[in-house]
């Protein structure tokens, strides 16, 4: 409504991401005089581009919400990082940003259309946006890294002081246990120099042995690109059977591709068949792999079921996709497979780059059944495939191709 009230033909409301409220979607579509541009379902990697594109980023908050009284929105940091003009509801957590001039306030008695007009008119013609000095001083990694290191040094000094004064009250929290929890559960990885400050509780370097000893049985983590293991007797199923017959192979952890919990289908009424027979088999296999009932001597089959925060399976919350590398790491621990361990990957496993960044297998076999870059893909999927194939090219020690045409394309 504020954009319509401006009555300025050059002003376009751009919404990045999906609108999940159908009523709001309908209302937007029916607003007369609204110039609207929709950019549905954007990848997180484009967040800076989307902010830099905007002349004004408007961040409306409910000033009476408990959340608004205690949290700074991440979207504010993203916009300030690229120098976009930001209009934001004036609430306490963003007061320092407003005071520094990195954002313009929307106060209770303000008219949004008026504030929007002022923000638009305040931008210099042809101005090249740049990160606001407040971002460089307060929000960027560099200054906060320094502060974190200072806090760690201060904590160490306090610990040393307590050690010299036994009568001092001991700390009431279990720091090693907390750090081990962070190391196990936190998605992503920390730079080795930062993790090293909290060694040995935060892991630095590879999470498996740094080299393969061919004179001892080799443990293999086998990453399959689909969720149909054991159903059709595909080449990877046959290969797995042959690997287990080899004396050179120790244990095998077989990992199916991550699967959304919403893709699982079960029919509680045995008198009614599920519409998709394959989906029923995949769902049953997934449960078997989750519960360990699919395991055999020296082969351990696992599936990673992911979903959104409100999703559950078997009465437990399911993790988000970013936790897949952590799950693989935990399986290695549970199965005692960190020693003499390599990866066998059947591309495209979309999440393997994140797994490799976390675990750093010393030897990687890439087993190319096909080349998905030559399939009918949209532009976004093609970019993702190009990144994945490039990563696999860089980390692969041995590549296997299904046929000569695939080999030629990989050459």
């Amino acid at each position: 409504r504020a954009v319509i009230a401006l009555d300025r033909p050059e002003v376009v409301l751009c919404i990045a991401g999906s609108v999940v409220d159908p009523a709001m979607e309908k209302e937007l579509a029916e607003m007369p005089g609204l110039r609207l541009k929709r950019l549905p379902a954007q990848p997180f990697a484009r967040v800076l581009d989307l902010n830099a594109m905007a002349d004004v980023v408007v961040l409306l908050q409910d000033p009476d919400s408990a959340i608004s009284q205690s949290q700074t929105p991440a979207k504010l940091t993203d916009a300030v990082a690229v120098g976009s003009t930001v209009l934001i509801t004036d609430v306490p957590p963003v007061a320092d940003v407003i005071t520094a001039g990195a954002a313009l306030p929307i106060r209770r008695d303000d008219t949004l259309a008026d504030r929007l007009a002022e923000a638009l008119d305040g931008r210099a013609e042809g101005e090249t946006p740049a990160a606001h000095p407040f971002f460089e001083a307060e929000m960027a990694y560099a200054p906060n890294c320094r502060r974190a290191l200072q806090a760690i040094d201060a904590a160490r000094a306090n610990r040393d002081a307590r050690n010299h004064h036994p009568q001092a009250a001991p700390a009431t929290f279990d720091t090693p246990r907390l750090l081990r929890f962070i190391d196990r559960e936190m998605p992503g990885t920390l730079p080795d120099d930062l993790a090293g400050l909290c060694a040995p509780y935060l892991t630095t370097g590879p999470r498996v042995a740094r080299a393969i000893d061919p004179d001892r049985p080799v443990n293999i983590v086998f990453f399959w690109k689909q969720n149909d293991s054991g159903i059709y007797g595909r080449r990877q199923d046959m290969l797995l059977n042959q690997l287990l017959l080899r004396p050179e192979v120790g244990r095998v952890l077989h990992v199916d591709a991550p699967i959304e919990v919403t893709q699982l289908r079960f029919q509680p009424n045995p008198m009614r068949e599920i519409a998709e027979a394959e989906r029923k088999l995949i769902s049953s296999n997934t449960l078997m792999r989750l519960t360990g009932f699919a395991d055999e001597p020296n082969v351990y089959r696992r599936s990673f079921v992911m979903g959104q925060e409100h999703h559950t399976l078997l009465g437990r919350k399911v993790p988000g996709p970013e936790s897949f590398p952590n799950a693989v790491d935990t399986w290695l621990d549970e199965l005692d497979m960190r020693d003499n361990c390599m990866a066998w990957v059947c591309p495209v496993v979309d999440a393997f780059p994140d797994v490799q960044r976390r675990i750093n297998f010393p030897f990687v076999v890439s087993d190319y059944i096909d080349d998905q870059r030559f399939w009918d893909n949209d532009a976004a999927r093609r970019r993702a495939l190009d990144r994945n194939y490039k990563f696999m090219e860089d980390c692969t020690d041995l590549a296997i191709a299904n046929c000569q045409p695939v080999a030629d394309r990989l050459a």
Side-chain angles (χ1 to χ4, degrees):
R1 293 189 181 94
V3 172
I4 295 172
L6 289 176
D7 194 23
R8 292 168 59 164
E10 78 277 12
V11 177
V12 178
L13 173 62
C14 180
I15 300 178
S18 302
V19 176
V20 296
D21 183 353
M24 180 180 176
E25 185 85 57
K26 184 173 183 293
E27 185 179 2
L28 286 170
E30 294 176 352
M31 279 187 175
L34 176 63
R35 296 187 66 199
L36 179 65
K37 175 67 176 177
R38 298 296 306 279
L39 300 173
Q42 298 299 305
F44 187 77
R46 291 200 64 205
V47 66
L48 296 181
D49 295 336
L50 295 170
N51 276 283
M53 174 187 70
D55 293 295
V56 178
V57 175
V58 181
L59 301 174
L60 300 177
Q61 300 190 84
D62 179 3
D64 298 320
S65 166
I67 294 176
S68 297
Q69 295 295 319
S70 59
Q71 294 186 15
T72 302
K75 296 179 180 65
L76 173 62
T77 307
D78 298 331
V80 174
V82 296
S84 299
T85 299
V86 181
L87 270 175
I88 188 167
T89 305
D90 189 1
V91 289
V94 301
D96 56 342
V97 186
I98 293 172
T99 300
L104 303 174
I106 305 171
R107 299 188 170 92
R108 283 185 182 270
D109 296 331
D110 286 343
T111 300
L112 180 56
D114 294 340
R115 297 296 286 136
L116 187 54
E118 293 168 7
L120 289 166
D121 294 339
R123 286 191 65 88
E125 189 68 30
E127 178 184 28
T128 301
H132 193 279
F134 182 83
F135 175 84
E136 302 287 358
E138 301 294 335
M139 294 177 162
Y141 282 114
N144 287 292
C145 182
R146 288 194 298 270
R147 290 169 185 144
L149 293 174
Q150 291 167 1
I152 291 171
D153 289 341
R156 284 176 165 171
N158 289 337
R159 178 197 60 192
D160 294 341
R162 286 197 302 271
N163 290 341
H164 285 92
H165 299 280
Q167 71 275 15
T172 57
F173 52 87
D174 187 348
T175 303
R177 185 180 177 192
L178 172 62
L179 291 172
R180 283 192 292 267
F181 175 82
I182 291 173
D183 189 57
R184 183 178 69 250
E185 301 293 338
M186 185 184 75
T189 57
L190 288 172
D192 281 352
D193 56 343
L194 293 183
L197 295 171
C198 297
Y201 309 112
L202 295 184
T203 304
T204 60
R207 292 171 180 258
V208 291
R210 294 176 180 270
I212 296 294
D213 180 358
D215 295 325
R216 295 189 294 124
V218 177
N219 294 319
I220 299 175
V221 184
F222 195 109
F223 295 89
W224 178 232
K225 65 190 179 78
Q226 296 170 186
N227 302 108
D228 55 2
S229 296
I231 296 178
Y232 299 110
R234 298 193 189 279
R235 184 167 70 83
Q236 67 103 9
D237 296 312
M238 302 297 101
L239 176 61
L240 180 62
N241 292 337
Q242 292 303 311
L243 287 174
L244 293 172
L245 297 176
R246 302 297 308 177
E248 300 91 346
V249 175
R251 296 179 172 184
V252 177
L253 168 60
H254 184 279
V255 183
D256 261 7
I259 185 171
E260 290 275 357
V261 67
T262 53
Q263 295 296 310
L264 301 180
R265 295 286 185 273
F266 302 100
Q267 177 52 267
N269 185 350
M271 302 301 293
R272 297 179 60 185
E273 275 298 316
I274 195 168
E276 301 177 64
E278 182 190 56
R279 185 60 53 191
K280 175 183 177 180
L281 293 172
I282 289 174
S283 301
S284 298
N285 278 0
T286 300
L287 283 187
M288 294 282 285
R289 298 167 74 94
L290 279 174
T291 54
F293 285 106
D295 292 351
E296 299 179 68
N298 290 335
V299 58
Y300 306 90
R301 296 178 173 88
R302 296 292 180 266
S303 289
F304 180 77
V305 180
M306 58 189 179
Q308 299 181 20
E309 189 172 350
H310 63 280
H311 285 141
T312 61
L313 179 65
L314 300 178
R316 296 183 178 182
K317 293 180 65 174
V318 297
E322 68 280 355
S323 294
F324 178 59
N326 303 66
V328 176
D329 200 10
T330 298
W331 294 331
L332 289 174
D333 245 353
E334 293 172 347
L335 301 172
D336 192 22
M337 287 181 57
R338 294 194 185 277
D339 184 41
N340 220 32
C341 186
M342 59 167 281
W344 191 302
V345 189
C346 298
V348 173
V349 178
D350 288 314
F352 181 74
D354 291 329
V355 173
Q356 179 63 357
R357 292 185 189 104
R358 179 178 180 87
I359 296 176
N360 200 359
F361 291 100
F363 195 89
V364 176
V365 174
S366 289
D367 188 353
Y368 293 92
I369 286 84
D370 44 44
D371 190 337
Q372 296 181 29
R373 294 172 295 182
F374 289 82
W375 294 6
D376 187 14
N377 302 297
D378 60 29
R381 181 58 181 164
R382 176 56 193 256
R383 288 193 296 269
L385 288 171
D386 286 341
R387 289 193 297 268
N388 190 285
Y389 275 83
K390 180 62 170 66
F391 182 91
M392 297 307 301
E393 177 187 345
D394 292 341
C395 76
T396 293
D397 296 284
L398 173 66
I400 302 172
N402 194 44
C403 59
Q404 190 61 47
V406 172
D408 293 341
R409 291 166 182 168
L410 296 172

